Amino acid sequence: MKLRLGAVALTGALALTGCGSDDNSSLPGALDFSLDHFRCGPEGTLLASGSSAQANAMEVWVNTYQTNCAGSQVNYKATGSGAGVQEFLQGNTAFAGSDTPLTEAEIEESRSVCRDGGRAVNLPMVAGPIAVGYNLPGVDDLVLDAETLALVFDSRITRWNDPAIQRLNPDTELPDRPITPFHRSDSSGTTENFTSFLRAAAPDAWPHEPDKAWRGRGGQAADGSSGLVGQVQQSPGAIAYFELSYAHRNDIATARLDTGADRPVAATVEHAERAIAEARVVGRRGDLALELDYTSTAGDAYPIVLVTYEIVCDRGNEPETLGLTRAFLRYTASDDGQRALAEIDYAPIADRIIDQVRERVDAMA
């Protein structure tokens, strides 16, 4: 998919509530979103909300769909995974974006809003690395490992020149400056994935169970990925976690990760793809929830990753929006939709999994 400069300016059709710093767009100004032989659905308006991790991907997808399908509008509000799931389970949206799959209890609850005896299913649509961004003047290259990250975000390592950090960066002069760790204040799938990594890779240093709500001690909080970005930008000594696209679009330095491999691994789309390739489908009866390996030590595999799911009723929840929902998700799962992800710091879903996603979308009826 080619995004060509100079044709269509963004119009604000995509609502990014909870996701906007001064400039978090993945898109460099005016772009042409037109594609040949685009398959449109019925005209109408589609409401969805949830994950801020996929906000930049949704910006491309929504504008591409609306450019090629006059009369259709897709409004996605990046309210965070927890809020998006809640709105979906209340029947207020056609689908939700979540960086963690629904629980069995939530799937059971979905039966009250899914029509004709249907239930919600998790469709993995977006993947990518969770970067550890930092603001440390004079330090352009920083290596951290799981144990050190756990102790930093649990407020047990509090200064940048701590011996544990210095050991990982023997050739770097680290400043005697306080560390200010920032975490999400909202219910966040990114938080759950980040703390799942800490719990799996450094269980002795991170005693807290993974959760969408922050369980670590101390630190400061900000709303949404963009809130964390803003705090890191304006706070020397700060460190936080957010999707790689936010780090790149805001020129924030990111740490390399010592996983035990031959050399530290940078947060890149290619390195995340290597880690995500090891994921396996654990959902049942058409559900495509994945299990990720957060402890991979394979060379060039960056294990702090997340997968964002589009959560839909397997038979739709509102007949009047079913056709548009199916058409939009058919595009996001298509070769064109997935190819666009790599251009904006996300990882396409592996072929063996995205083929199953396409089958599930086509089966919505």
Side-chain angles (χ1 to χ4, degrees):
M1 174 178 168
K2 294 181 180 179
L3 299 178
R4 297 178 293 276
L5 291 173
V8 180
L10 297 185
T11 61
L14 175 60
L16 294 178
T17 305
C19 242
S21 67
D22 289 341
D23 182 14
N24 277 325
S25 172
S26 337
L27 312 180
L31 297 170
D32 181 1
F33 300 99
S34 59
L35 293 173
D36 296 331
H37 311 298
F38 199 91
R39 188 177 178 183
C40 296
E43 294 184 359
T45 298
L46 199 61
L47 301 179
S49 65
S51 165
S52 65
Q54 68 170 356
N56 292 331
M58 273 290 171
E59 188 170 5
V60 169
W61 284 340
V62 167
N63 280 280
T64 301
Y65 190 89
Q66 293 180 165
T67 296
N68 290 276
C69 301
S72 296
Q73 185 171 358
V74 181
N75 293 318
Y76 180 83
K77 293 191 293 184
T79 54
S81 296
V85 168
Q86 183 178 32
E87 283 196 290
F88 174 78
L89 293 176
Q90 291 171 344
N92 296 327
T93 54
F95 69 90
S98 177
D99 305 325
T100 55
L102 293 182
T103 65
E104 287 296 327
E106 289 169 332
I107 291 175
E108 189 61 31
E109 185 180 350
S110 74
R111 295 183 184 278
S112 65
V113 297
C114 295
R115 65 187 182 92
D116 298 335
R119 66 188 181 98
V121 291
N122 301 284
L123 304 180
M125 201 71 74
V126 182
I130 301 173
V132 177
Y134 66 93
N135 180 347
L136 198 55
V139 178
D140 299 323
D141 183 33
L142 181 70
V143 175
L144 298 170
D145 61 12
E147 181 177 0
T148 303
L149 279 171
L151 295 173
V152 165
F153 279 93
D154 210 27
S155 299
R156 287 184 281 158
I157 289 179
T158 60
R159 301 196 74 82
W160 278 107
N161 63 344
D162 187 277
I165 302 177
Q166 191 68 70
R167 278 196 299 271
L168 293 166
N169 300 271
D171 299 323
T172 301
E173 185 175 346
L174 296 168
D176 184 12
R177 179 189 290 272
I179 301 175
T180 307
F182 284 92
H183 58 264
R184 291 276 289 269
S185 61
D186 54 320
S187 179
S188 163
T190 307
T191 292
E192 185 165 354
N193 280 275
F194 181 63
T195 56
S196 291
F197 162 75
L198 296 179
R199 182 65 174 161
D204 294 334
W206 188 261
H208 317 289
E209 289 299 318
D211 202 318
K212 289 185 176 71
W214 184 255
R215 301 299 183 194
R217 294 174 290 194
Q220 299 187 36
D223 184 59
S225 296
S226 62
L228 294 183
V229 165
Q231 292 298 333
V232 171
Q233 286 178 313
Q234 68 188 20
S235 308
I239 187 170
Y241 56 92
F242 32 73
E243 299 69 43
L244 182 64
S245 60
Y246 286 90
H248 280 179
R249 303 318 168 196
N250 292 279
D251 295 321
I252 293 175
T254 60
R256 292 186 295 145
L257 188 66
D258 184 342
T259 64
D262 291 341
R263 60 182 181 272
V265 184
T268 68
V269 170
E270 293 76 19
H271 294 164
E273 282 187 279
R274 291 187 177 94
I276 294 167
E278 301 177 18
R280 62 189 187 93
V281 175
V282 294
R284 297 173 296 161
R285 293 176 295 156
D287 184 87
L288 298 176
L290 302 177
E291 182 177 81
L292 300 172
D293 180 7
Y294 296 104
T295 62
S296 176
T297 60
D300 292 335
Y302 182 84
I304 316 179
V305 294
L306 61 75
V307 171
T308 298
Y309 301 88
E310 312 313 333
I311 294 169
V312 297
C313 291
D314 55 2
R315 301 179 186 178
N317 54 3
E318 294 292 342
E320 59 268 26
T321 60
L322 175 58
L324 180 53
T325 301
R326 186 170 52 228
F328 178 69
L329 294 181
R330 183 181 285 135
Y331 159 62
T332 66
S334 70
D335 287 338
D336 283 327
Q338 289 293 298
R339 201 156 40 235
L341 295 177
E343 300 181 29
I344 53 172
D345 297 319
Y346 293 97
I349 300 296
D351 288 344
R352 64 183 173 82
I353 298 172
I354 203 65
D355 286 345
Q356 297 179 65
V357 172
R358 293 165 183 159
E359 291 175 5
R360 292 303 306 150
V361 171
D362 286 340
M364 292 174 63

